Amino acid sequence: MPARNAFYAQSGGVTAVINASAAGVIEAAREHPEAIGTVYAGVNGILGALHEQLIDTAHESAQTIAALRYTPAGAFGSARYKLKGLEENRAEYERLIEVFRAHDIGYFFYNGGGDSQDTAQKVSQLGEAMGYPITCIGVPKTVDNDLPVTDTCPGFGSVAKYIAVATREAGLDVASMAETSTRVFILETMGRHAGWIAAASALAQDREDAPPHVILLPEVALDEQRFLDRVQACVERIGYCVVVVSEGLRTADGQFVADQGTRDAFGHAQLGGVAPAVASMVRDRLGYKYHYAIADYLQRAARHIASATDVEQAHALGRAAVELALAGHNAVMPTVVRESGSPYRWHVGQVPLEAVANREAKMPASYIDAEGLFVTEAALRYLRPLIAGEDYPPYRDGLPEYARLRGERVAPRCPPFRD
Amino acid sequence: MPARNAFYAQSGGVTAVINASAAGVIEAAREHPEAIGTVYAGVNGILGALHEQLIDTAHESAQTIAALRYTPAGAFGSARYKLKGLEENRAEYERLIEVFRAHDIGYFFYNGGGDSQDTAQKVSQLGEAMGYPITCIGVPKTVDNDLPVTDTCPGFGSVAKYIAVATREAGLDVASMAETSTRVFILETMGRHAGWIAAASALAQDREDAPPHVILLPEVALDEQRFLDRVQACVERIGYCVVVVSEGLRTADGQFVADQGTRDAFGHAQLGGVAPAVASMVRDRLGYKYHYAIADYLQRAARHIASATDVEQAHALGRAAVELALAGHNAVMPTVVRESGSPYRWHVGQVPLEAVANREAKMPASYIDAEGLFVTEAALRYLRPLIAGEDYPPYRDGLPEYARLRGERVAPRCPPFRD
């Protein structure tokens, strides 16, 4: 069988290690020229295929590809773009096949979350139906850690480490000044539907009464009185309180706490973030001086403090995707299978895309304490190995020196796409 | 002359390296037992002297003191507490002398900003007047970099590095997703009166059109139209725009932009931070999708990404304070004197406390561009060496392992303080 080309695309919110998966895919593909010709990467993910904007990664040196391992964000561009169902928008899928056919693309590696695995599966089905067989392999990625089956998702371990480190450091800051300054510090983390990231802050607690003291998760409707009682008790006992809150925190009626009807001077609604909303409760009901931080993109882009475990898994799953394809698998995704937690031992497994597509893994009840205001020892046992190890990027003039691609485009061969 | 004891106190907002100065003071003092007996540290800074709450640092091992070099925040506790003028509150100064006398304290090392240097100077004067001569030496500290005379203040280089790294990393994130997601990203930094911290983000710009694209400084009144024009031009040219804004940004009439009359659902005023206020302008006038981050305490506590230059200077100035005292100086503060910028060469100098007390160094006009929306090459030349070098703390189980003090208290000898 002659070698065929591959298409690699990044999808959804980027992470500190998604490029490590890209490096794994490209490096593994280069080791098999008998089976895989060129790896084309989509400019802005799947949009790059629809618009036939492809980067020819063959023009990137081995050093540049290796540098992707320590470069955050999406080196080729990513997109928040979900292809609709086959019935609703068959034209988009047919366009993908058209572009794939024009460039002799026989492998599709889609690096994303649950939505993307759904897309990869549909492309696989349609290729089959249209007489253009294509091997579609998912590569897991999401800071939210909400993909099922796999022990964890590349991207999560690093954001977890960032949040745990930030909580420990800011916690020391607050503790050292509480007597005359801030009593309650609130750190807002990502996590719209699942509380994994906020939960990881608990790893910072290295002794009784160390921060964080309260963790508010999207899985638990906010009981304002219970929360404020806990904060007050904490301040009265040790002088201060560190609260970590997931952006997806909701009230009992299902409303986002971040969307509490805040209005600016002109009466415009402001989605102010959940941290200021929680801070307002603390101020109005308890009267404590507060501060809050909103880490936002800083947390998922923080390659400078990435988890070595996460980097290794991201790279390994990129490689594994290629190896699965070469072994004849289709419509599958490589996974992390945990053998033991302490010491952490894992190997690469696999799962059919249909088993992960559009499914969300939330925190199990056994990981959340009885009052819903902290996590359990079981959660800590699960989380601890995922942040292990440091993997520093190289620095130049005091700043991390990240990969810069040549990014040479492939000449288009198809008519423009009308969307 | 028999050895006399020393009192060391941390003051004001803590930093990633104030404990490195503490280590310098204690280590240098230990090398001179013929002159300095025990170093007592104030619990919560100067309050520890007023309330006679002193930590006996002699009980801390050499390893623990060395670990302070890589431990952020205030290990002994700090305080936002400014002693009033001698005429207004002579009792407080007399109380300090009472406690110093009771513990045979002949040296006062005060680690803080401009306010603290003022206090140290007054204590020196009053001791003289009360027949209790005491050597008062300031140790500079402030993330705001607003002390005059010294080339920079310990604490600033590390927060500058944090902000530059965060800007580079988040900038890559935004660039890779702008096609379908956030167009304008806003990072709020500390800096109530001086824009040094926000300015340091410019170090991330390693090529034309790299982030950051706009820097809003407290030294320049916000011209909303000019700002929005710049943002729009940037988005139209490269697809996205990264804005770094100092918390102290003001409008032309002197109001904080952060205090724009935002009201929550109950009509309560909310000090929402400057980032959401700027984000609202972008949304309302330009309609771009935005995100913002508020780094807050994360930036000044971020010892994990401290500047090696900053750590070295903090430690050296702590040592120098002791050496100045032993050389017979009084009412002075050691400074960083820049010999050359590239390569960066500096030595320790000194300045009378009266020359730094209560004076604020803002960004000079020559460091701000003509439109007031970015910094100049001169600013970059000044800033560049201050973030140079990494100085990682040790890690255990994926997290930095910071010093933990025994913190043994000295038995009180004075009556309680009535304030």
Side-chain angles (χ1 to χ4, degrees):
Chain A
M1 205 170 70
R4 297 181 69 199
N5 298 319
F7 175 68
Y8 168 80
Q10 304 182 319
S11 178
V14 294
T15 80
V17 303
I18 184 172
N19 290 329
S21 291
V25 167
I26 295 167
E27 286 167 358
R30 287 183 178 186
E31 291 169 17
H32 295 280
E34 77 289 355
I36 301 180
T38 297
V39 177
Y40 298 126
V43 174
N44 299 324
I46 198 74
L47 293 179
L50 290 174
H51 296 289
E52 206 188 1
Q53 296 178 328
L54 307 176
I55 290 169
D56 185 344
T57 68
H59 293 285
E60 309 296 341
S61 70
Q63 290 91 321
T64 298
I65 300 303
L68 288 178
R69 188 179 163 117
Y70 57 76
T71 298
F76 305 102
S78 185
R80 289 202 182 283
Y81 188 86
K82 183 170 161 54
L83 272 71
K84 298 202 185 74
L86 270 174
E87 293 70 29
E88 296 159 81
N89 196 345
R90 194 178 175 88
E92 280 189 334
Y93 291 90
E94 290 176 348
R95 168 67 177 186
L96 287 180
I97 300 295
E98 178 187 23
V99 171
F100 289 168
R101 195 188 298 267
H103 297 277
D104 192 25
I105 287 167
Y107 305 94
F108 173 30
F109 299 107
Y110 205 19
N111 204 167
D115 282 2
S116 310
Q117 308 312 332
D118 178 60
T119 299
Q121 199 207 353
K122 290 205 175 75
V123 171
S124 163
Q125 291 168 343
L126 190 71
E128 191 84 26
M130 289 175 66
Y132 185 81
I134 180 161
T135 299
C136 297
I137 312 286
V139 187
K141 173 251 40 162
T142 159
V143 292
D144 292 328
N145 203 38
D146 60 356
L147 281 176
V149 187
T150 186
D151 182 53
T152 184
C153 303
F156 171 67
S158 293
V159 74
K161 187 182 185 93
Y162 173 94
I163 290 296
V165 170
T167 301
R168 175 165 292 179
E169 291 182 331
L172 287 173
D173 186 308
V174 177
S176 63
M177 299 201 59
E179 182 68 23
T180 55
S181 183
T182 296
R183 293 286 187 175
V184 179
F185 176 69
I186 299 151
L187 172 60
E188 175 177 326
T189 73
M190 289 184 155
R192 205 74 177 160
H193 305 291
W196 296 106
I197 297 175
S201 67
L203 295 169
Q205 195 178 60
D206 55 353
R207 61 189 189 285
E208 212 187 321
D209 283 339
H213 306 105
V214 182
I215 302 175
L216 300 175
L217 304 162
E219 286 86 351
V220 183
L222 177 66
D223 179 332
E224 191 172 327
Q225 190 58 52
R226 183 181 287 181
F227 161 65
L228 291 170
D229 287 348
R230 179 81 75 104
V231 170
Q232 184 170 20
C234 183
V235 172
E236 289 176 356
R237 193 172 66 252
I238 61 167
Y240 71 106
C241 184
V242 172
V243 178
V244 179
V245 56
S246 192
E247 64 179 335
L249 181 68
R250 290 168 188 262
T251 56
D253 61 2
Q255 290 281 100
F256 283 119
V257 172
D259 190 13
Q260 293 287 289
T262 306
R263 296 277 179 279
D264 68 14
F266 310 99
H268 299 143
Q270 276 204 317
L271 192 63
V274 67
V278 169
S280 294
M281 290 173 203
V282 167
R283 180 197 57 189
D284 295 344
R285 302 278 308 280
L286 301 176
Y288 294 133
K289 178 165 159 58
Y290 65 86
H291 254 242
Y292 58 81
I294 301 178
D296 198 60
Y297 295 154
L298 271 50
Q299 68 200 288
R300 74 179 189 196
R303 183 61 184 80
H304 73 274
I305 188 66
S307 154
T309 303
D310 189 33
V311 174
E312 192 188 335
Q313 292 180 335
H315 191 257
L317 296 187
R319 290 191 66 90
V322 172
E323 287 155 9
L324 286 168
L326 296 179
H329 294 282
N330 196 355
V332 297
M333 181 188 88
T335 59
V336 174
V337 179
R338 181 181 298 220
E339 297 168 14
S340 79
S342 176
Y344 188 44
R345 277 197 293 263
W346 58 277
H347 66 265
V348 176
Q350 58 172 293
V351 61
L353 290 179
E354 64 187 350
V356 290
N358 295 319
R359 276 180 54 197
E360 250 177 19
K362 299 194 179 193
M363 297 256 295
S366 64
Y367 282 10
I368 302 171
D369 80 357
E371 287 205 295
L373 296 172
F374 210 77
V375 299
T376 61
E377 179 55 33
L380 292 169
R381 273 197 303 274
Y382 164 72
L383 292 165
R384 203 167 280 124
L386 306 181
I387 69 163
E390 294 65 59
D391 188 84
Y392 298 120
Y395 278 69
R396 185 193 183 113
D397 294 336
L399 284 162
E401 195 173 28
Y402 292 130
R404 199 173 306 166
L405 299 175
R406 297 179 56 169
E408 289 203 21
R409 302 292 180 94
V410 179
R413 297 175 179 176
C414 301
F417 177 56
R418 270 178 277 271
D419 57 349
Chain B
M1 207 171 73
R4 298 180 70 198
N5 297 317
F7 176 67
Y8 167 80
Q10 304 181 319
S11 179
V14 293
T15 79
V17 303
I18 184 172
N19 290 329
S21 291
V25 167
I26 296 168
E27 287 167 358
R30 287 182 179 188
E31 291 168 17
H32 294 281
E34 77 288 354
I36 300 179
T38 298
V39 178
Y40 298 126
V43 174
N44 299 322
I46 198 73
L47 293 178
L50 290 174
H51 296 289
E52 206 188 0
Q53 296 179 329
L54 307 177
I55 290 169
D56 185 345
T57 68
H59 292 287
E60 309 296 340
S61 70
Q63 290 91 322
T64 298
I65 300 304
L68 288 177
R69 188 179 163 117
Y70 56 76
T71 298
F76 304 102
S78 185
R80 289 203 183 283
Y81 188 84
K82 182 169 161 56
L83 272 70
K84 297 201 186 75
L86 269 175
E87 293 69 30
E88 295 160 83
N89 197 345
R90 194 178 173 90
E92 281 190 332
Y93 291 90
E94 289 177 348
R95 168 67 177 185
L96 287 180
I97 299 296
E98 178 187 23
V99 171
F100 289 169
R101 194 187 298 265
H103 296 278
D104 192 25
I105 288 166
Y107 306 94
F108 174 30
F109 300 106
Y110 205 18
N111 204 167
D115 283 1
S116 311
Q117 308 313 333
D118 178 59
T119 300
Q121 199 206 351
K122 289 204 176 76
V123 170
S124 163
Q125 292 169 343
L126 189 71
E128 191 87 26
M130 289 175 66
Y132 186 81
I134 181 160
T135 299
C136 298
I137 311 285
V139 187
K141 173 250 42 164
T142 159
V143 294
D144 292 328
N145 204 38
D146 59 358
L147 280 176
V149 187
T150 186
D151 183 53
T152 183
C153 301
F156 172 67
S158 294
V159 74
K161 186 182 184 91
Y162 173 95
I163 291 296
V165 170
T167 301
R168 175 165 292 179
E169 292 183 331
L172 287 173
D173 186 307
V174 177
S176 61
M177 300 201 59
E179 182 68 23
T180 56
S181 183
T182 295
R183 293 286 186 176
V184 179
F185 176 69
I186 298 151
L187 172 59
E188 175 177 326
T189 73
M190 288 183 156
R192 205 73 177 163
H193 305 291
W196 297 106
I197 298 175
S201 67
L203 294 169
Q205 194 178 60
D206 56 352
R207 62 188 188 284
E208 212 187 322
D209 281 340
H213 306 105
V214 183
I215 302 176
L216 299 175
L217 304 161
E219 286 86 352
V220 183
L222 177 66
D223 179 332
E224 192 172 327
Q225 191 57 52
R226 182 181 288 181
F227 161 65
L228 291 170
D229 287 348
R230 178 81 76 103
V231 170
Q232 184 169 21
C234 183
V235 172
E236 289 176 356
R237 192 171 69 252
I238 61 167
Y240 71 106
C241 183
V242 172
V243 179
V244 179
V245 56
S246 191
E247 62 179 337
L249 181 69
R250 291 168 186 261
T251 55
D253 61 3
Q255 290 281 100
F256 282 119
V257 172
D259 190 13
Q260 293 285 289
T262 306
R263 296 278 179 277
D264 68 15
F266 311 99
H268 300 143
Q270 277 204 317
L271 191 63
V274 67
V278 169
S280 294
M281 291 174 203
V282 168
R283 180 197 58 190
D284 295 344
R285 302 279 306 281
L286 301 176
Y288 294 133
K289 178 167 160 54
Y290 65 86
H291 254 243
Y292 59 82
I294 301 179
D296 197 59
Y297 294 153
L298 273 50
Q299 68 200 289
R300 75 179 189 196
R303 182 60 184 80
H304 73 275
I305 188 67
S307 153
T309 303
D310 189 32
V311 174
E312 192 188 335
Q313 291 179 336
H315 191 258
L317 295 188
R319 289 192 67 90
V322 172
E323 287 155 8
L324 285 169
L326 295 179
H329 295 282
N330 195 355
V332 297
M333 181 188 87
T335 58
V336 173
V337 179
R338 181 180 297 220
E339 297 168 14
S340 79
S342 178
Y344 187 44
R345 276 196 294 263
W346 58 277
H347 66 265
V348 176
Q350 59 172 293
V351 61
L353 291 179
E354 65 187 351
V356 290
N358 295 318
R359 277 181 53 198
E360 251 177 20
K362 300 194 179 192
M363 297 256 295
S366 63
Y367 282 11
I368 303 171
D369 80 356
E371 286 205 294
L373 297 171
F374 210 76
V375 300
T376 60
E377 179 54 32
L380 292 169
R381 273 198 303 274
Y382 164 72
L383 292 164
R384 204 168 280 124
L386 306 182
I387 69 163
E390 294 66 58
D391 187 85
Y392 299 119
Y395 278 68
R396 185 193 183 115
D397 293 336
L399 283 161
E401 194 173 26
Y402 292 130
R404 199 173 306 165
L405 298 176
R406 296 178 58 170
E408 289 202 22
R409 302 292 179 93
V410 179
R413 296 178 180 173
C414 300
F417 177 55
R418 269 177 277 271
D419 57 352

